[in-house]
Each structure stands twice: as C-alpha cells, then as structure tokens.
Amino acid sequence: MRLQQLQQTLQVVVTQKQQLDMELSETEKALSELEKISDDIPVYKSVGSILLKADRQVLMGELKERKELLNTRVTVLGKQEDKTRERMKELQDRIQQRLKPSGSAAT
C-alpha cells in the first residue's frame, strides 16, 4: 500500500513538474521576444480573457521574476521526484527481500 502511495505521489510530482517546465518555456520565449523589440513598440499582456497595454520594461521585470520562481519550483519538484524515486526503490527492495524466503521455500 505504501508503494502505491509513493507511485501516486511520484505521478503527481512529475505532472506538476512537466506543467511548470512548459510554463517556464513559454515565459522564456516571451522574454526573448520582448528583448528583441524597442520600448516604443506597444506590448500587451493577457489578463483573464482580455489584453491590456503594458510597459515593456515592467512586463520584462514581471516575466523575469516569474521565471526565477518557476526555476525554483522546478528545482524543488525535481528534488522531491528524486527522493520519491529513492524511497520507492528502497521499498521495492525490502518487499523483494521479504518475498524471497517465501518463494524459495515453495520450490
């Protein structure tokens, strides 16, 4: 039962990490595009279902901050994924050790 819980936890962590990786990629692309244009070109940001005109420098600052946050969260989830995989491996090894004597006695 504990192994199943760890598998579910791992699945949730991996899914969250994938979503954050996609969001990070989109943020990096947006930053890259904003860096290519000058301050006099109007830019807009999406707020809900509408677009609002925004200051390029302010928007870049927001995106850089978001990128840092996403990087941190991806790192944390990566560490959590590694620890969960380790615990699963240890638990699988213990289960196999407990099953070995039973299996060899039946032969």
Side-chain angles (χ1 to χ4, degrees):
M1 188 164 63
R2 179 70 181 135
L3 183 59
Q4 288 176 339
Q5 289 173 339
L6 286 172
Q7 289 170 334
Q8 289 172 348
T9 300
L10 180 62
Q11 186 176 4
V12 168
V13 168
V14 168
T15 301
Q16 287 176 347
K17 188 176 170 215
Q18 288 172 342
Q19 290 171 342
L20 290 176
D21 279 333
M22 287 189 324
E23 188 175 343
L24 180 59
S25 176
E26 289 174 10
T27 301
E28 288 172 341
K29 287 178 189 175
L31 264 171
S32 174
E33 290 303 315
L34 282 174
E35 289 170 351
K36 293 177 186 177
I37 62 173
S38 63
D39 285 334
D40 60 332
I41 296 176
V43 294
Y44 299 86
K45 74 176 189 176
S46 176
V47 179
S49 60
I50 61 171
L51 292 177
L52 295 177
K53 192 171 187 178
D55 178 82
R56 177 181 164 271
Q57 292 299 324
V58 171
L59 194 53
M60 285 181 65
E62 289 174 3
L63 288 172
K64 286 177 182 178
E65 189 176 311
R66 182 73 183 152
K67 180 181 171 184
E68 285 180 36
L69 176 65
L70 290 169
N71 274 323
T72 301
R73 290 181 66 197
V74 165
T75 301
V76 168
L77 285 173
K79 289 178 183 179
Q80 188 176 353
E81 177 185 359
D82 292 342
K83 286 180 184 178
T84 303
R85 287 186 192 279
E86 275 181 41
R87 283 185 278 177
M88 283 178 58
K89 174 96 171 84
E90 290 169 6
L91 191 55
Q92 286 171 338
D93 289 346
R94 280 192 284 171
I95 290 171
Q96 286 177 353
Q97 287 301 319
R98 288 186 182 178
L99 291 176
K100 269 188 181 177
S102 301
S104 56
T107 323

